[in-house]
Amino acid sequence: MIKNYFLNIVFLIVCTISFGQTYNMPNGANGTISTCSGTFRDRAGDYLSSQNSTITFCPSTPGDKIRITFTAFETEDGFDYLEVWQGNTAGASGTGVDVFMGTPTLPFTITSTSPDGCLSFRFISDGGSEYAGWTSTISCVTPCVPPTAALVDASTVDICPSTSITPGSTTVAFNASSSTTPSGALVRYEWDWGDGTTSITATPNTTHTFPTTGGLYLVRLRVRNNIFTTDPLGCLSANSVTRVVRVMPEPSFAGLSPATVAINCGDSVTLNGAALSQTIVQSTPSVISGPINLPDGSGSSYNSQLDFSGLFPPGATMVAGCYPTVSFDIEHSYTGDLDIILISPTGEQVILFDQHAPVGPGHFGACSAGATDGVPGCVATYSVVNTGGASWTAVGSTTAAPPTVNGTCSYTGVCETGGSYYIPQTYTSTNSFAALNGAALNGVWTLRVVDNIASDDGVLSNWSLTFPSSCYANLLSETPDLTTATWTHTGAGPVIPAQSTTNTVVNNPGPSCPSPGPCVGNQLNNNINLGPFPTAGSFVYTFTVVDQYGCSYLRNVTVNVASCSVCNLVLSSAAATSSQSLCIGSPISNIVYNYGGTATSASVTGLPAGITANIVGGVITISGTPTVSGTFNYIVNTIGCTPNLSLTGTITINASPVLTSLTSNTPVCINSNAEFYLAGTSNSIVTYNINGGASQTTTINSGGTATVTIPSVIANTTFNALNIAATTSPVVGNGLSSVGGISPVNSTGAISALGAAAVAGNCTQLDNTSSVLTITLQHIVPAGTPITVSLARDNAAGDVAITCGGSTLNFNAGTVDVLSQLIIIPTVSTNTITFTRSAGRLWIDGVEYNYTPTGCSVNVSNSATVVVTPLNTIASGTSQTVCVNSPITNITLATTGATGATFAGLPAGVTGSWSG
């Protein structure tokens, strides 16, 4: 007979017996005895008939545990039995945690697991035969000081699932070497992986592979040392240490366009991009036991325990809403032998199965071993609930025996026949779970299997308890935010237009959220309009979503375009660009388009005055000199196609600046400042010289005026305006389009930060299968413009030549998969940059440049002169002496270069006047 937890089969010959006091168990209550030695027996000689006797043993040393070792045991099998309770009280008959009758294997030992260290016994005999009874020795053991479980790294592990395009490994390493024990040595590490599985290791280092799709797993570790005084498995740690492993959930793509979209040739289509956060919730704890043999016992009981300590709120007790599901994997050759009982941590119990049988002799399992030889057959899984399951006694719950050869277990013998097998399904408990109301939820739960009749055996390979999630302490959850949702496309088909993503906060996005909630996530929407699609075929557009943990997910949408006529319209590769910016009065660079296929001609609309389109022989040439300013969006259309194709471009014509006036403060006296006043286009720059000297510049302010001052002039001074030029703002640009490489679209647009990771999601790759990439810039950049190139090696051999506008650079250094930045400066104007791989693999992230375009300018010939007047001279006058009231003789003074005169110091009655 095997007793789990403190009921040990001791394969030793008891060579000594205690010489302490002998304690008999006569009929009736025998009270409580405090001792740590002596002999416990029924009585001298055979026990009596019709006994109902109780006795309790408690340790004489507080803190110790009573241990009783039976060296002899014989009672009438099935009628006279000894029951055991852990604690200082014997309960009613039939409620003990263990029961012994017949002739169990000797010796066997019972050690108290009660906090008070006591064991209580009740002996029942009927009025029939009397047997020798039992003899046992009493001793005490001192419980160990428990070890402490610890993990070297208890940090949360976040893993991208297998459905991500950036999956992580779900095999996680654990190191419990920081666990300690005050005595002995650690010999057992008990792991509950939180995913419904457990394992035991003898060493602290181990790994576990979790499910590869979304889930949140709370790993629990308890440890044992090699102190076996009260537990044959070793002293168990009082604590359990935890570590959270999160395999991120894939977002929901509900609302995304279907995987295939069918349209007609020439149609456009809107692709809806939608992704919604999802929530992962900690798996409901379900502790699983190990195997228990069920030998033929004739009244013997076999117990298995599950520890749910600390999984529920402190003080939580059983109520109807927390009734568990009990599942057990069992094989037994006769179900009519068995009672299966669930016992709570505080002793409440319910009979789940009470010696039932389906039609004929009943069997548990997939294939029961017929012989009573301790060899287990093949188990099957049965679940028991309070209500709503099948009835144990219903005929419909039976099935025929399985075949002899079984592929699900190691047993290959003959299956038990002559009866029927219980179907592995969910059954309703024999008795109501209401018997468990008020029981403590935290602690050790026990499943007891009682064998009541001789001649059959089996095995309980494991069992588990699953409580409703609402009954546990707050379950962990995680709802990753989605950070980006973008469309990409390679190959033929319309290019993706500018994208815009909306972000909406969503409470409880699903599929579930533990109480009290809420689980807060978000939804990203990015809808794009594509087309028209001018050619038939299948065109794949990829919607990629990245969450806050860097997990990437994608969905492909294929646009299937029905057959249509072959029509071509392309920008000539020799053309500079489809869009230009120039000054009024300056000729544009020719823009050339080619058309063909079923197109019979073409048309161009929206060109500014002075610009014309010459359409002949499949070639459209746009040329001329604009006579008006503004921004003009032109459209090129084919004629004769089904459907007709369209391409667009933009011609921006900047107005020339104007110098509207030039004046001065002429005349001025010698050594005075000459000032020239300009009026014209705001913020323009005027080039001028003074008296034909060296060229200088001045800027007209935002109010449209400027003043140039020439200090202390001594001669006539002339301001000659030569040119007026408009100012421009700096331009920042990147790659507009790319051809070649792997995923060329990834090298267009803004570049990543220096030192960022280079990955397939943001870079174009060059290798020996696709070794050249050409990026077309958003602008024609002038010679001398610094262009920043962002790139990285994908392996140590990565080597690439970069050419741009007559300049060449080579790159073959830098940390692998980490972005570097180089500067290349073209010697001639260009709008392309080319990468040519020489060896290895490389990442090209993109380019960026910054330059100030030349503004429009106009030559002018405005002039203004300041006349410089020399200092005035006065001829010497005449002094006179006259009497009062006598007239003076007129005095005449001559002036040179004066424009007027003033008089001062004349006496009353004498005046002066001036005539030019």
Side-chain angles (χ1 to χ4, degrees):
M1 176 183 302
I2 295 179
K3 295 290 178 178
N4 195 26
Y5 66 95
F6 309 118
L7 193 163
N8 310 317
I9 297 177
V10 184
F11 296 97
L12 300 173
I13 297 176
V14 179
C15 299
T16 60
I17 59 174
S18 171
F19 293 99
Q21 186 172 349
T22 298
Y23 301 99
N24 294 319
M25 194 178 184
N27 196 30
N30 293 285
T32 299
I33 298 170
S34 295
T35 184
C36 280
S37 63
T39 300
F40 168 45
R41 64 183 186 181
D42 58 303
R43 53 169 286 169
D46 295 346
Y47 55 79
L48 302 177
S49 63
S50 302
Q51 276 194 231
N52 187 341
S53 307
T54 61
I55 194 169
T56 296
F57 295 99
C58 290
S60 54
T61 301
D64 282 359
K65 304 284 186 180
I66 285 289
R67 171 174 286 175
I68 296 182
T69 300
F70 288 84
T71 56
F73 197 102
E74 182 184 17
T75 66
E76 185 181 10
D77 195 4
F79 300 97
D80 303 340
Y81 55 90
L82 179 67
E83 282 189 282
V84 184
W85 286 263
Q86 295 285 345
N88 59 12
T89 303
S93 177
T95 64
V97 297
D98 282 302
V99 61
F100 302 96
M101 68 180 71
T103 54
T105 302
L106 295 171
F108 63 88
T109 299
I110 305 173
T111 303
S112 174
T113 61
S114 175
D116 59 15
C118 302
L119 288 173
S120 296
F121 297 87
R122 179 183 295 276
F123 178 61
I124 300 291
S125 64
D126 65 2
S129 301
E130 294 83 32
Y131 287 78
W134 67 88
T135 300
S136 64
T137 57
I138 304 169
S139 61
C140 291
V141 294
T142 300
C144 68
V145 179
T148 300
L151 289 170
V152 172
D153 182 2
S155 62
T156 297
V157 181
D158 292 325
I159 305 170
C160 294
S162 60
T163 54
S164 167
I165 60 175
T166 54
S169 172
T170 56
T171 299
V172 181
F174 294 83
N175 183 350
S177 61
S178 54
S179 301
T180 57
T181 179
S183 58
L186 295 176
V187 293
R188 183 179 170 105
Y189 299 80
E190 299 177 351
W191 306 89
D192 182 339
W193 300 114
D195 59 2
T197 65
T198 61
S199 62
I200 297 170
T201 62
T203 57
N205 290 289
T206 189
T207 62
H208 183 72
T209 300
F210 294 88
T212 58
T213 54
L216 194 156
Y217 309 102
L218 182 65
V219 177
R220 295 199 308 160
L221 168 68
R222 302 183 77 175
V223 298
R224 295 179 184 268
N225 62 22
N226 59 354
I227 308 300
F228 304 109
T229 54
T230 56
D231 192 327
L233 298 179
C235 186
L236 180 65
S237 59
N239 74 310
S240 62
V241 63
T242 62
R243 187 180 189 188
V244 175
V245 176
R246 303 187 296 193
V247 181
M248 292 303 156
E250 181 179 74
S252 168
F253 288 92
L256 179 71
S257 290
T260 58
V261 177
I263 64 172
N264 293 322
C265 184
D267 286 351
S268 296
V269 67
T270 297
L271 299 186
N272 298 318
L276 175 66
S277 295
Q278 295 290 276
T279 299
I280 48 173
V281 180
Q282 175 189 345
S283 299
T284 303
S286 180
V287 184
I288 300 175
S289 75
I292 300 294
N293 286 328
L294 304 174
D296 179 33
S298 301
S300 299
S301 60
Y302 308 94
N303 299 323
S304 180
Q305 291 182 320
L306 300 179
D307 188 357
F308 278 75
S309 300
L311 295 181
F312 302 94
T317 57
M318 179 67 77
V319 294
C322 288
Y323 289 158
T325 297
V326 187
S327 296
F328 44 85
D329 292 350
I330 192 172
E331 175 269 328
H332 199 275
S333 54
Y334 182 47
T335 59
D337 268 9
L338 304 180
D339 288 327
I340 303 176
I341 303 167
L342 177 66
I343 305 172
S344 77
T346 45
E348 294 83 356
Q349 55 185 282
V350 61
I351 297 176
L352 307 176
F353 179 87
D354 189 10
Q355 294 182 263
H356 304 299
V359 176
H363 316 296
F364 275 136
C367 175
S368 176
T372 305
D373 55 6
V375 177
C378 298
V379 301
T381 301
Y382 304 89
S383 295
V384 182
V385 294
N386 184 50
T387 58
S391 171
W392 289 114
T393 58
V395 173
S397 65
T398 63
T399 185
T404 300
V405 178
N406 301 279
T408 58
C409 72
S410 59
Y411 178 70
T412 57
V414 177
C415 298
E416 179 80 4
T417 57
S420 52
Y421 284 75
Y422 270 114
I423 294 174
Q425 61 181 351
T426 298
Y427 293 88
T428 296
S429 174
T430 299
N431 293 341
S432 170
F433 282 13
L436 300 174
N437 288 348
L441 294 178
N442 286 301
V444 175
W445 287 79
T446 302
L447 189 71
R448 173 178 297 162
V449 181
V450 181
D451 187 323
N452 293 286
I453 305 174
S455 300
D456 288 277
D457 64 1
V459 65
L460 176 72
S461 65
N462 62 62
W463 70 285
S464 66
L465 276 178
T466 303
F467 293 85
S469 60
S470 59
C471 302
Y472 292 97
N474 289 344
L475 297 177
L476 302 175
S477 67
E478 177 63 13
T479 310
D481 276 341
L482 307 179
T483 57
T484 61
T486 55
W487 289 96
T488 56
H489 168 67
T490 58
V495 298
I496 296 173
Q499 302 181 53
S500 177
T501 302
T502 60
N503 185 354
T504 304
V505 175
V506 179
N507 287 333
N508 303 326
S512 63
C513 180
S515 177
C519 300
V520 181
N522 69 320
Q523 178 162 326
L524 298 182
N525 290 91
N526 180 2
N527 302 334
I528 56 172
N529 297 312
L530 297 174
F533 285 77
T535 57
S538 295
F539 306 94
V540 178
Y541 293 82
T542 301
F543 184 64
T544 303
V545 176
V546 181
D547 70 17
Q548 70 184 90
Y549 297 100
C551 303
S552 299
Y553 310 88
L554 65 78
R555 292 291 186 273
N556 289 327
V557 176
T558 301
V559 180
N560 290 326
V561 182
S563 177
C564 55
S565 60
V566 179
C567 183
N568 298 321
L569 177 64
V570 295
L571 178 68
S572 170
S573 60
T577 177
S578 62
S579 299
Q580 293 187 31
S581 178
L582 65 157
C583 299
I584 190 171
S586 299
I588 68 169
S589 297
N590 287 355
I591 303 173
V592 180
Y593 291 88
N594 300 113
Y595 67 90
T598 57
T600 58
S601 187
S603 65
V604 182
T605 59
L607 294 173
I611 304 296
T612 61
N614 181 41
I615 303 170
V616 61
V619 179
I620 307 166
T621 303
I622 300 174
S623 61
T625 300
T627 58
V628 294
S629 61
T631 297
F632 299 87
N633 298 312
Y634 66 89
I635 303 173
V636 180
N637 291 292
T638 59
I639 297 173
C641 296
T642 305
N644 282 307
L645 306 180
S646 294
L647 293 175
T648 61
T650 301
I651 299 177
T652 301
I653 304 167
N654 303 303
S656 298
V658 177
L659 182 63
T660 56
S661 67
L662 173 61
T663 60
S664 68
N665 65 340
T666 189
V668 299
C669 292
I670 191 171
N671 291 321
S672 297
N673 293 342
E675 294 183 350
F676 299 93
Y677 310 109
L678 294 81
T681 302
S682 299
N683 302 314
S684 58
I685 298 172
V686 176
T687 301
Y688 67 93
N689 66 40
I690 302 298
N691 296 330
S695 294
Q696 305 177 61
T697 60
T698 186
T699 301
I700 296 177
N701 62 28
S702 59
T705 64
T707 300
V708 175
T709 301
I710 310 300
S712 303
V713 294
I714 59 173
N716 292 349
T717 301
T718 299
F719 182 102
N720 299 307
L722 306 175
N723 181 275
I724 182 169
T727 57
T728 59
S729 300
V731 170
V732 177
N734 302 104
L736 174 65
S737 62
S738 295
V739 177
I742 300 170
S743 299
V745 71
N746 290 348
S747 54
T748 61
I751 64 175
S752 303
L754 176 66
V759 295
N762 69 343
C763 294
T764 299
Q765 190 177 51
L766 297 182
D767 60 16
N768 62 344
T769 65
S770 187
S771 60
V772 178
L773 171 71
T774 298
I775 300 176
T776 299
L777 308 180
Q778 292 174 324
H779 308 88
I780 300 175
V781 298
T785 301
I787 300 176
T788 299
V789 181
S790 177
L791 75 174
R793 297 185 300 164
D794 189 26
N795 63 13
D799 192 339
V800 67
I802 308 164
T803 57
C804 176
S807 296
T808 300
L809 281 179
N810 188 257
F811 173 77
N812 57 10
T815 304
V816 170
D817 296 330
V818 176
L819 289 173
S820 299
Q821 292 183 355
L822 279 69
I823 302 295
I824 187 169
I825 301 176
T827 57
V828 296
S829 296
T830 185
N831 71 329
T832 61
I833 183 169
T834 299
F835 301 82
T836 304
R837 166 204 170 269
S838 298
R841 301 189 306 271
L842 298 111
W843 297 112
I844 311 300
D845 177 42
V847 298
E848 181 176 285
Y849 51 86
N850 187 327
Y851 74 100
T852 302
T854 302
C856 296
S857 65
V858 177
N859 291 332
V860 296
S861 57
N862 301 42
S863 296
T865 300
V866 172
V867 177
V868 178
T869 303
L871 294 175
N872 294 326
T873 58
I874 303 174
S876 58
T878 302
S879 299
Q880 296 184 30
T881 301
V882 297
C883 295
V884 174
N885 295 325
S886 296
I888 67 170
T889 302
N890 287 351
I891 302 173
T892 299
L893 304 174
T895 63
T896 302
T899 58
T902 59
F903 300 89
L906 295 175
V910 178
T911 60
S913 64
W914 180 84
S915 173

